[in-house]
């Protein structure tokens, strides 16, 4: 049985599906912008997600919604650091930071973060350097044409191992909604087994996204939970180890039932 290592944490793969709770400390995220922008509200929500059963808390301070405008590393840290400081020692699950800036990742690791979640897929050598001198977990996301995804994951696996980053610290993310058509997103989830690379952990994050909205008549983002659960459950059947969600409590229940059926 394989494992996903993230700092002091070890998550065995195959025994259960892990739920990653999303905490956006941004004013402009696509589905919950400004809701948790206040550090006080952000900390309260993180602790609530932990109580609801989240296995990982993923904190992002920069929206990567379609058409987003980048904020600087300085602004990202201004949003992140107060939350990380307040959470350090209060949560007993891994904290992940969702960033593509090496300087943000480096600073976040000083404040108790165990995972770097990089939407740029660790293509930046400086980000690889940050990870290589730590023991953090690394979520490697693919952005672009799904036909190139398997080869991208295989290339990055070799690149990161060659930089002294153990394969057990890696988790691949197909990047649902990132550079892919609606049909490609559906195909990735339906054929996820084709994109698995050895025993590397696989994460799926379809929560509230466009691929959920389209077949359902484009309901408001917060009304896409049932569709999200459907997409994530099919992902679990097809080999996903982690699901990244906005709605933790129902996701935890759905994963427990899926695991009871699939992982006996």
């Amino acid at each position: 049985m394989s494992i996903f290592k993230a700092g002091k944490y070890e998550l065995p793969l195959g025994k259960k599906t892990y739920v990653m709770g999303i905490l956006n400390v941004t004013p402009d995220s696509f589905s919950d912008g400004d809701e948790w922008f206040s550090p006080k509200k952000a900390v309260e929500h993180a602790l609530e997600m932990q109580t609801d059963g989240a296995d990982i808390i993923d904190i992002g301070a920069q929206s990567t919604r379609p058409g987003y405008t980048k904020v600087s590393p300085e602004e990202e840290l201004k949003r992140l650091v107060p939350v990380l400081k307040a959470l350090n020692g209060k949560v007993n699950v891994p904290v992940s930071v969702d960033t593509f800036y090496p300087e943000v990742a480096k600073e976040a690791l000083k404040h108790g973060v165990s995972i770097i979640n990089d939407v740029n897929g660790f293509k930046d050598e400086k980000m690889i350097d940050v990870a290589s001198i730590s023991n953090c977990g690394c979520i490697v996301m693919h952005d672009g044409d799904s036909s190139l995804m398997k080869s991208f994951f295989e290339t990055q696996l070799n690149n990161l191992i060659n930089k002294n980053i153990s394969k057990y610290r890696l988790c691949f993310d197909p990047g649902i909604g990132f550079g892919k058509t609606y049909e490609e997103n559906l195909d990735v989830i339906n054929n996820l087994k084709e994109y698995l690379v050895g025993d590397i952990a696989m994460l799926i994050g379809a929560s509230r996204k466009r691929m959920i909205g389209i077949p359902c008549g484009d309901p408001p983002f917060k009304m896409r939970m049932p569709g999200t659960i459907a997409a994530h459950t099919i992902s679990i059947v097809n080999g996903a180890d982690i699901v990244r969600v906005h709605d933790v409590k129902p996701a935890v229940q759905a994963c427990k039932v899926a695991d009871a059926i699939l992982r006996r």
Side-chain angles (χ1 to χ4, degrees):
M1 184 174 292
S2 191
I3 197 166
F4 176 47
K5 295 185 177 182
K8 66 181 181 180
Y9 300 94
E10 294 188 352
L11 306 181
L13 305 181
K15 289 187 174 181
K16 65 168 285 183
T17 304
Y18 297 96
V19 174
M20 171 185 274
I22 299 168
L23 177 58
N24 289 318
V25 291
T26 61
D28 57 347
S29 290
F30 79 93
S31 75
D32 59 357
D34 202 35
E35 193 166 354
W36 316 115
F37 191 44
S38 151
K40 181 175 183 294
K41 288 183 178 179
V43 170
E44 289 173 352
H45 188 51
L47 295 175
E48 179 185 30
M49 288 195 290
Q50 177 178 253
T51 299
D52 287 344
D55 300 292
I56 304 168
I57 306 294
D58 187 47
I59 307 176
Q62 172 143 216
S63 172
T64 51
R65 74 191 192 287
Y68 75 98
T69 300
K70 284 184 182 180
V71 300
S72 67
E74 293 76 18
E75 176 63 25
E76 201 170 301
L77 283 169
K78 183 180 176 183
R79 298 173 180 181
L80 270 175
V81 170
V83 178
L84 295 177
K85 283 183 175 179
L87 282 178
N88 201 353
K90 291 184 179 178
V91 291
N92 54 22
V93 298
V95 173
S96 165
V97 65
D98 183 353
T99 187
F100 47 73
Y101 287 130
E103 53 267 60
V104 172
K106 183 177 182 179
E107 187 65 23
L109 290 170
K110 297 177 183 177
H111 294 285
V113 165
S114 300
I115 300 170
I116 299 172
N117 182 6
D118 181 9
V119 298
N120 284 347
F122 284 83
K123 295 192 292 287
D124 186 333
E125 288 295 323
K126 291 181 180 178
M127 185 67 93
I128 295 174
D129 290 342
V130 170
S132 68
I133 59 173
S134 79
N135 62 352
C136 68
C138 302
I139 298 177
V140 181
M141 198 195 83
H142 175 262
D143 182 352
D145 186 335
S146 60
S147 68
L148 305 174
M149 185 160 62
K150 182 71 174 280
S151 62
F152 170 77
F153 286 153
E154 290 171 341
T155 297
Q156 288 303 84
L157 173 62
N158 290 328
N159 286 344
L160 295 168
I161 287 175
N162 288 336
K163 294 297 178 69
N164 297 315
I165 297 174
S166 164
K167 71 174 187 175
Y168 298 113
R169 290 171 52 197
L170 302 181
C171 174
F172 292 144
D173 176 356
I176 297 297
F178 285 81
K180 297 170 182 66
T181 66
Y182 169 62
E183 292 293 337
E184 282 183 298
N185 290 321
L186 298 179
D187 287 341
V188 166
I189 288 177
N190 193 39
N191 299 291
L192 188 62
K193 291 177 182 177
E194 295 180 11
Y195 302 102
L196 301 178
V197 179
D199 54 358
I200 305 299
M202 180 67 82
L203 178 151
I204 287 289
S207 185
R208 301 183 181 179
K209 289 184 177 178
R210 181 170 174 265
M211 69 153 289
I212 306 298
I214 287 177
C216 303
D218 198 28
F221 294 115
K222 290 186 179 180
M223 294 179 66
R224 299 181 184 184
M225 180 186 62
T228 296
I229 287 175
H232 283 167
T233 301
I234 293 171
S235 300
I236 294 165
V237 171
N238 289 331
D241 299 290
I242 304 170
V243 293
R244 184 176 180 270
V245 305
H246 294 86
D247 304 291
V248 168
K249 185 176 283 187
V252 167
Q253 186 180 94
C255 288
K256 284 181 177 178
V257 174
D259 289 345
I261 295 168
L262 296 169
R263 304 184 191 275
R264 288 178 293 170

